[in-house]
Every structure is written in structure tokens, then in C-alpha cells.
Amino acid sequence: MSETVLVARRGGVLELTLNRPDKLNAFNEEMHAALARALAQAAADESVRAVLLTGAGRGFCAGQDLADRAVADDDNPPDLGATLERWYNPLIRRLRTLDKPVVCAVNGVAAGAGANIALACDIVLAARSASFIQAFARIGLVPDSGGTWLLPRLVGEARARALALLGEKVTAEQAEAWGMIWKVVDDERLMEEARALADRLAAGPTRGFALIKRALLASWSQDLDAQLDLERDLQREAGRSQDYREGVRAFMEKRPPRFVGR
Ligand code: T3D
């Protein structure tokens, strides 16, 4: 088992901690593989009803480990498209399509792919001292891990262009003000708040949450007509769930619902 991603189970939450703190949790292949395994575990285990992703030490994630790229010589450039295909793209797809909510607790700097992996999670909390850097242009690269898709949608075209081209640091407070993330939290309260949020989601209607994720993801590539049809289909499915029946019953009985995730 790799120590590059710490996996801890707390009730219905699978807590994943990127764990290469001396490298600000930059990704090497071992960490990619460990994270892929952990997310596959989250997907397969019905008793996992929410995921919490964070980083060890003072950073969240500094993107690709550039030490693994420094050996390339002029005649033998690395095929970065292949790394995206092999690791980063499947990771973003996994986060976006996981049938359960993913909370990200950004505990420090999130740079390069690290920033966009955080933004691909469902609800992003950031420590007040955290920051987001589209570091790619600083080294001649293009924002990846969904950055060129997510950024304009989150912060608008003008800001997305400037962030991608300039690679400037965005503070957590700025990120919240721009709608890039959900919320800034004081550093010492980050994990407490993130865990409370993950616990709350893990006690929620997991099946319904999965359908919400599916609908929101589809909305970017569909017109209103198609989206209305999709909402009809997903609502039909949600209406057949045990949690919907429980939700209505609890409302009528004026008590909190006890969702089971089915
Ligand atoms: O290659 C492919 O497969 C394509 C995919 C690409 C995806 C990408 O993510 S490309 C972008 C890669 N990431 C970056 O360019 C960010 C590089 N890091 C930084 O710019 C800075 O470290 C930060 C702005 C993130 C933080 O700065 P600071 O001053 O707080 O920390 P530091 O001193 O720079 O870093 C601390 C240590 O972490 C340091 O090691 P040392 O000197 O103490 O032994 C530094 O080298 C190491 N580190 C930080 N980022 C990386 C890294 N080591 C390897 N790779 C990194 N990305």
C-alpha cells in the first residue's frame, strides 16, 4: 500500500489525504495510482457516501512533480498528452462522475493541476491562507485537468483568460468572492468544517445527490429542452428511491429524515 495517499474511513466518509508534503503534494505516478485506487474504492463501496480530499502539510497540491520532467533532453521531449490521457483526465472524470459528493478542503497552495483537481470537486472549502495558481503558463504549458473548461464557467471569460495567461496567485478570499470556490474558512477550523460538511453529505440522499451531479454536468452541453427532458428522467428515478419516500414521510411527520442512500 502506498503512503502517498492516506486513506481513512470516518463513518460514511472516505477521507483522502495527498501525502508528499515535502513536494507540496505534487503528483508522481505512485500518487496518481494510489488516488485512482482510493477513488475506485469509494465508488465501489456502497457504505461510502461522501469523499473528503485534502493535502498533508502546508500545501494542497502543486500539480505535476516537475522533478519527473527535468530529465527530458532536447531530442527526446516527454509526451505530456500521454500523461494527461493516462492519469489527469481519468482523475477529473472520476471526480465529476463519482456517484457521491466530493468535498475538497484546500489546506494551502493549489497550483497547476492541483488547482484544477480542487476545482473539479463538488464543494470546495479553502483555508484563509490557501491560494490557487494556474501555474501552467509559467512553464510554457496549457491549463489542464479541466482548467480551460472549469475556469470560464466558474469565474467568467475575462478572469479565466487573465488567470491562465498570467499564472497569478488567487487568494482563497478572492476565489470565494469570484465564485471559484464555495467558502473560505479560518485555517484552524478548515478540517473541522470540511468534516462536518462531509458528514452531513454522507447522511444525505446519496442516490439523489448522484442524480444532481449528473444533471449539473450535462447542463453544460445541452440546450434547455434537452435539459428539461433529462430532469424529467432523473426525477423519475429519484422519485423511485427509498430516500424520497423517507423524505416525504419525515416532512409529513415533522421530523428529520433518516436517509439510507438508496
Ligand atoms: O507533466 C505532465 O504530465 C503534464 C501535466 C501537468 C500538470 C501540471 O500540474 S503542470 C504545473 C506544475 N506545477 C507547477 O508548475 C508549480 C510549481 N511550484 C511552484 O510554483 C511553487 O512551488 C508554489 C507556487 C506551488 C509554492 O511556492 P512556495 O514558495 O510556497 O514553495 P516552494 O519553495 O517553491 O516549494 C516547496 C518545495 O516543494 C520545494 O522543494 P525544496 O526546495 O524544499 O526541496 C519545491 O521544489 C517543491 N515543489 C513545489 N512544487 C513542486 C515541487 N517539486 C516538484 N514539482 C512541483 N510541482
Coordinates of all heavy atoms in Angstrom, one line a residue, residues 35-45 94 98:
L35 N -4.3 7.4 -5.7 CA -5.5 8.2 -5.6 C -6.6 7.5 -6.5 O -7.8 7.4 -6.1 CB -5.3 9.6 -6.1 CG -6.5 10.5 -6.0 CD1 -7.0 10.6 -4.6 CD2 -6.1 12.0 -6.5
A36 N -6.2 6.9 -7.6 CA -7.1 6.2 -8.5 C -7.7 5.0 -7.8 O -8.9 4.8 -7.8 CB -6.4 5.8 -9.8
R37 N -6.8 4.3 -7.0 CA -7.3 3.1 -6.3 C -8.3 3.6 -5.2 O -9.4 2.9 -5.0 CB -6.1 2.4 -5.6 CG -5.4 1.4 -6.5 CD -4.6 0.5 -5.7 NE -3.6 1.2 -4.9 CZ -2.4 1.6 -5.3 NH1 -2.0 1.4 -6.5 NH2 -1.5 2.2 -4.5
A38 N -8.0 4.6 -4.5 CA -8.8 5.1 -3.4 C -10.2 5.6 -3.9 O -11.2 5.3 -3.3 CB -8.2 6.2 -2.6
L39 N -10.2 6.2 -5.1 CA -11.5 6.7 -5.6 C -12.3 5.5 -6.2 O -13.5 5.5 -6.1 CB -11.2 7.7 -6.7 CG -10.8 9.1 -6.2 CD1 -10.4 10.0 -7.3 CD2 -11.9 9.8 -5.3
A40 N -11.6 4.5 -6.7 CA -12.3 3.3 -7.1 C -12.9 2.6 -5.9 O -14.1 2.1 -6.0 CB -11.3 2.3 -7.9
Q41 N -12.2 2.6 -4.8 CA -12.8 2.0 -3.6 C -14.0 2.8 -3.2 O -15.1 2.2 -2.8 CB -11.7 2.1 -2.5 CG -12.2 1.6 -1.1 CD -11.1 1.9 0.0 OE1 -10.0 2.2 -0.3 NE2 -11.6 1.9 1.2
A42 N -13.9 4.1 -3.2 CA -15.1 5.0 -2.9 C -16.3 4.7 -3.7 O -17.4 4.7 -3.3 CB -14.7 6.5 -2.9
A43 N -16.0 4.5 -5.0 CA -17.1 4.2 -6.0 C -17.7 2.9 -5.7 O -19.0 2.7 -5.8 CB -16.6 4.3 -7.4
A44 N -16.9 1.9 -5.4 CA -17.4 0.5 -5.3 C -18.1 0.2 -4.0 O -19.0 -0.6 -3.9 CB -16.2 -0.5 -5.5
D45 N -17.7 0.9 -2.9 CA -18.2 0.6 -1.6 C -19.5 1.4 -1.3 O -19.4 2.6 -1.1 CB -17.1 0.9 -0.6 CG -17.5 0.5 0.8 OD1 -18.7 0.3 1.1 OD2 -16.6 0.4 1.7
R94 N -13.3 10.9 -13.0 CA -13.7 10.1 -11.8 C -14.4 11.0 -10.7 O -15.4 10.7 -10.2 CB -12.5 9.5 -11.1 CG -12.5 8.0 -11.2 CD -11.3 7.4 -10.5 NE -10.7 6.4 -11.4 CZ -9.6 6.4 -12.0 NH1 -8.7 7.4 -11.8 NH2 -9.2 5.4 -12.8
L98 N -18.3 10.5 -10.0 CA -18.5 9.7 -8.9 C -19.9 9.9 -8.4 O -20.4 11.0 -8.2 CB -17.5 10.1 -7.8 CG -17.4 9.2 -6.6 CD1 -16.7 7.9 -7.0 CD2 -16.6 9.8 -5.4

